[in-house]
Amino acid sequence: MDPKTLVEQYLQAVQAQDYRAARGYLADTGFEHVSPLGRLDSADDLVNQSFMSSGIVRRVDVRKVFADGGDVCHFLVYHVQISERHAVDLAHWARVEDGRIVRIEVLFDASLYRELFPGVG
């Protein structure tokens, strides 16, 4: 499977809250996830975090996708509802090696989350 298709299937699995399928796209060793809220060095930790925060996500829109070899970048809009509805622009950059995602870097304005979850990030 080409890296772009693999990352898109991973994102679809996360949005569908199929965390078992999502975990299958992530490397078992050497995995890294970086975001404004912190760093995770375990695919299992990312899946657990995604499960816990999934309740606020209402919809995800894809604005643009770029692929360059094993690097795949999605520009997304996450529509979330916390106390009120918000749209969060987000860049999701994944690195695929040997048919698995080994690194994800997510860039977004985390100020809303820091207000809600003091001490995170």
Side-chain angles (χ1 to χ4, degrees):
M1 178 182 323
D2 69 279
K4 181 177 176 277
T5 301
L6 186 143
V7 174
E8 288 180 345
Q9 288 185 0
Y10 163 76
L11 290 170
Q12 289 169 3
V14 170
Q15 190 170 357
Q17 298 180 13
D18 184 349
Y19 297 107
R20 182 175 175 179
R23 176 61 182 87
Y25 296 106
L26 304 175
D28 294 326
T29 59
F31 178 80
E32 179 182 36
H33 181 273
V34 179
S35 85
L37 300 178
R39 177 182 301 270
L40 301 171
D41 294 321
S42 161
D44 293 325
D45 289 347
L46 175 61
V47 169
N48 289 335
Q49 184 182 68
S50 297
F51 177 76
M52 291 175 48
S53 64
S54 66
I56 66 170
V57 178
R58 297 296 174 237
R59 184 176 89 239
V60 178
D61 295 332
V62 177
R63 293 180 53 204
K64 187 71 176 174
V65 181
F66 297 93
D68 180 16
D71 291 306
V72 181
C73 185
H74 284 77
F75 287 89
L76 307 168
V77 179
Y78 268 70
H79 298 271
V80 298
Q81 175 136 13
I82 301 168
S83 59
E84 52 191 64
R85 292 178 190 251
H86 299 277
V88 178
D89 293 319
L90 181 143
H92 181 276
W93 175 16
R95 176 75 184 158
V96 176
E97 295 177 1
D98 298 322
R100 304 287 283 279
I101 299 169
V102 295
R103 185 173 196 281
I104 297 173
E105 184 170 349
V106 180
L107 303 170
F108 63 96
D109 177 0
S111 57
L112 173 67
Y113 298 95
R114 288 188 181 117
E115 289 174 22
L116 291 169
F117 307 107
V120 175

